Amino acid sequence: MHLSTRTTTWTRALSTALTTLLTAALMTFAAGCGGAGANGEGDGDGDQTVVPAAPTGLEATPTDGEVSLSWDAPDDAESYNVYRATESGVETTDPVAEGRTETSYADTDVENGTTYFYVVTAVADEEGDPSSETEGTPFAAPSALAGTSEDSQIQLDWSGGAGADAYNVYRSERSTDGASGDPLASGVSSASYTDESAENGTTYYYRVTSVNPEDAESNASNEVEKTPFDDPPDRP
């Protein structure tokens, strides 16, 4: 074989090898540009579809006629959708609120005494998976607290708060702005209570709170002031 023939053969082989390597490098580069990123999926044109992770730390705080929600934001979230149901296993089909930009939501379209279940999703280019589920039962504070002074005891009665599962009774020897200190009685199942530890001649101030099934406590009722007496003539 002549030298020129061998040179031509080597040149062709080298050219083929370089072409193969260059093609492989270009394909790898294209896959890297158009493939999935850290927080999304490629669309084939080099762009990423951002799908945020699920929000975490979802908490519900029920009060009178309201359930307040709060959660922690995942990376890349642009807005949030809130879903609600009255049974566990919330489906993410019909949001009670959508396009929320804050990491909180106050659900006021609720009924006291009804337990609501919630999940939240984060949205960017697409909607992500739902958060873990939480629940809350809105409930009202007791009202119309009244007392009757008796010998060494005070009889208390009140109007029950809607959605309350039980009541806590508070007593103090001075007027307070709300429920103060530890309750005198907790888990009272009816809308009445007899304080049999009262001492004649001592003035007491009472308030009552509602407790819902999740052990959340309401604001306090109105305050009532009573003094037990030994056979009081007019039971003040």
Side-chain angles (χ1 to χ4, degrees), residues 29 48 63:
F29 178 76
Q48 292 181 358
T63 54

mmCIF file of all heavy atoms in Angstrom, residues 29 48 63:
data_model
loop_
_atom_site.group_PDB
_atom_site.id
_atom_site.type_symbol
_atom_site.label_atom_id
_atom_site.label_comp_id
_atom_site.label_asym_id
_atom_site.label_seq_id
_atom_site.Cartn_x
_atom_site.Cartn_y
_atom_site.Cartn_z
ATOM 1 N N PHE A 29 -25.115 17.461 25.828
ATOM 2 C CA PHE A 29 -25.374 18.859 26.151
ATOM 3 C C PHE A 29 -26.848 19.204 25.976
ATOM 4 O O PHE A 29 -27.466 19.869 26.812
ATOM 5 C CB PHE A 29 -24.515 19.758 25.264
ATOM 6 C CG PHE A 29 -24.749 21.224 25.488
ATOM 7 C CD1 PHE A 29 -24.222 21.863 26.602
ATOM 8 C CD2 PHE A 29 -25.508 21.963 24.585
ATOM 9 C CE1 PHE A 29 -24.454 23.214 26.809
ATOM 10 C CE2 PHE A 29 -25.743 23.313 24.795
ATOM 11 C CZ PHE A 29 -25.211 23.941 25.909
ATOM 12 N N GLN A 48 -37.922 24.614 31.955
ATOM 13 C CA GLN A 48 -38.313 23.727 33.040
ATOM 14 C C GLN A 48 -39.734 24.031 33.491
ATOM 15 O O GLN A 48 -40.126 25.189 33.589
ATOM 16 C CB GLN A 48 -37.367 23.889 34.237
ATOM 17 C CG GLN A 48 -35.961 23.391 33.975
ATOM 18 C CD GLN A 48 -35.082 23.545 35.203
ATOM 19 O OE1 GLN A 48 -35.529 24.064 36.219
ATOM 20 N NE2 GLN A 48 -33.853 23.103 35.110
ATOM 21 N N THR A 63 -61.854 28.942 66.148
ATOM 22 C CA THR A 63 -62.432 29.896 67.092
ATOM 23 C C THR A 63 -63.925 29.995 66.790
ATOM 24 O O THR A 63 -64.482 29.143 66.101
ATOM 25 C CB THR A 63 -61.756 31.272 66.983
ATOM 26 O OG1 THR A 63 -61.804 31.717 65.616
ATOM 27 C CG2 THR A 63 -60.302 31.211 67.433
#
